[in-house]
Amino acid sequence: HFGPEGNYLSLYATPFFTERHHTPWGAAINYDGNQSRAVRDFMIHNALYWLEEYNADGLRLDAVHAIIDDSTPHILTELAQTVHTRIRDRAVHLVLENDKNAASLLGARDGCYDAQWNDDLHHALHTIITGDDDGYYVDYADAGLRHLGRALTEGFVYQGEASVHRGGKPRGEPSAALPPTKFVGFLQNHDQVGNNALGERITHEAPEAAVRAAVAVYLLAPSPPLLFMGEEWATASPFPFFCDFGPELAEKVREGRRLEFARFAEFQDPAARERIPDPTAPETFHAAVLDWSERAQGSHAAWLAYYRTLLDIRRREIIPRLTGIEGHAGSFAADDGSLRARWRLGDGTDLILNARLSDRPAQISKANGNARVLFATHPDDAMAEARRMPAWSVVWSIGGQGA
């Protein structure tokens, strides 16, 4: 989409926009109407520019659910086909953000994409460790562990089911037939942090033990993980929404931001809304700038070591086994705060997750056979093969021939 200020394209290139479709940002880009060929070529060649001139490893396409194109082929299909046809001497990664959960865009056929940011996985994890149930989190609060298990093993949580947040409308397409490498897992990103009223990080919203467990889950799952800046050392810096507009638009954005959160109980009092940072103030931007010296200090250094340990395990034990992993590779069982999941990896070994995502411990039955423990948040319990899972504990194991 184009910004609301400083955008004069419509004055000298009117065919770029259409009133036939509308988006949250105004008139839609004209991908399917009169003179749309030039518009489509402009967008496709813009993608090629970054890949060919700057040798970017790939592109992440933002909010493609807001792209409206009634023609065939769809602009997303044509873009992917063109990129993969033009660039054959190296791998190019095309990744989507798509609220529609369109699994059909992630297949193996020509014109498909390599992966999608898995908002469902984030929302399920976030709901479990924070207890949030407002806004879009309402769709995950009823059965957080079951939703998390499905996101980990099948990709999308919503695969055609009705979404309460969307007024009961069905959302998504079946995704279990896709390999888990098609879904990017994360616990933080610019949207999920910046959309908070105060720009709080997850470490400001949830208990440390809960965050450590969630991190262990998503960093060692088969899906490729995404880290947000400063996450790996639990930075103290927030990431509030900020922008730079002229005075007239700045006032509208400032007031709109505060009205956006007026429906939340915490901000129903006008005085409370005054705590929401002014998006146009320089100090709001400066608050988001990372302090890199934190990495060597106290708890921040401990968090960084924790992430490095997990990523090293992933590099050594998980990534070499992902080649050839197929769809329907995973299964799960969730019950009363405990989650157990299993994946058949590309080399025929089984990756096994046992997680206690609750503030209460639980007794479990040992069912991992001769599986080798890769990582445990509470190693004394795991290595002793205890039948007890402490609160907020995670154990990853690998079994089968070649483990």
Side-chain angles (χ1 to χ4, degrees), residues 233 292-302 304:
W233 71 83
W292 289 80
S293 68
E294 288 179 332
R295 295 179 302 164
Q297 301 169 8
S299 63
H300 299 296
L304 184 58

Side-chain angles (χ1 to χ4, degrees), residues 47-269:
L48 290 170
Y49 177 76
W50 290 102
L51 297 168
E52 294 180 335
E53 299 297 326
Y54 290 94
N55 290 312
D57 292 327
L59 301 172
R60 181 258 191 187
L61 282 70
D62 182 75
V64 301
H65 49 267
I67 294 176
I68 305 172
D69 181 6
D70 293 333
S71 66
T72 302
H74 193 282
I75 181 61
L76 290 173
T77 300
E78 185 178 355
L79 187 151
Q81 287 174 335
T82 305
V83 165
H84 290 307
T85 299
R86 284 276 293 267
I87 304 175
R88 294 185 177 275
D89 60 340
R90 62 188 176 94
V92 171
H93 305 283
L94 297 180
V95 181
L96 298 175
E97 178 198 25
N98 189 358
D99 188 64
K100 292 182 178 178
N101 282 1
S104 54
L105 286 172
L106 302 174
R109 62 178 173 78
D110 186 31
C112 283
Y113 287 74
D114 299 288
Q116 176 177 316
W117 283 19
N118 195 353
D119 283 329
D120 281 356
L121 175 61
H122 167 272
H123 297 346
L125 268 177
H126 182 95
T127 300
I128 290 168
I129 68 174
T130 67
D132 283 356
D133 60 1
D134 210 343
Y136 44 68
Y137 292 125
V138 70
D139 280 346
Y140 305 85
D142 61 328
L145 273 180
R146 179 172 59 80
H147 293 320
L148 175 61
R150 194 178 202 198
L152 286 168
T153 59
E154 297 184 18
F156 299 137
V157 171
Y158 282 84
Q159 302 181 28
E161 291 82 3
S163 161
V164 173
H165 175 64
R166 294 162 182 79
K169 294 180 179 178
R171 175 181 175 232
E173 299 172 355
S175 59
L178 294 170
T181 48
K182 288 285 185 176
F183 305 93
V184 178
F186 54 91
L187 188 58
Q188 300 184 55
N189 68 20
H190 68 285
D191 281 328
Q192 305 306 333
V193 180
N195 286 345
N196 287 338
L198 306 179
E200 309 102 311
R201 300 290 190 129
I202 192 65
T203 43
H204 303 152
E205 296 185 277
E208 179 177 339
V211 178
R212 288 175 65 88
V215 169
V217 168
Y218 97 90
L219 285 187
L220 294 183
S223 295
L226 175 145
L227 276 65
F228 184 53
M229 61 179 209
E231 170 191 341
E232 65 271 34
W233 71 83
T235 179
S237 300
F239 189 75
F241 172 70
F242 55 83
C243 58
D244 182 16
F245 293 130
E248 182 178 351
L249 183 56
E251 178 57 33
K252 292 179 180 178
V253 171
R254 186 183 303 116
E255 184 60 23
R257 180 73 174 169
R258 288 172 178 166
L259 287 175
E260 178 184 350
F261 291 98
R263 64 184 179 83
F264 292 88
E266 182 181 356
F267 297 104
Q268 288 181 353
D269 185 343

Side-chain angles (χ1 to χ4, degrees), residues 220 313 316-318 351 372-376 395-398 403:
L220 294 183
I313 294 170
R316 290 185 289 104
E317 300 280 5
I318 310 299
L351 181 65
R372 173 169 57 92
V373 173
L374 297 179
F375 174 80
V395 179
W396 283 100
S397 308
I398 194 160

Side-chain angles (χ1 to χ4, degrees), residues 359-370:
D359 57 7
R360 296 175 291 106
Q363 297 297 120
I364 62 169
S365 59
K366 185 176 181 296
N368 286 358
N370 295 320

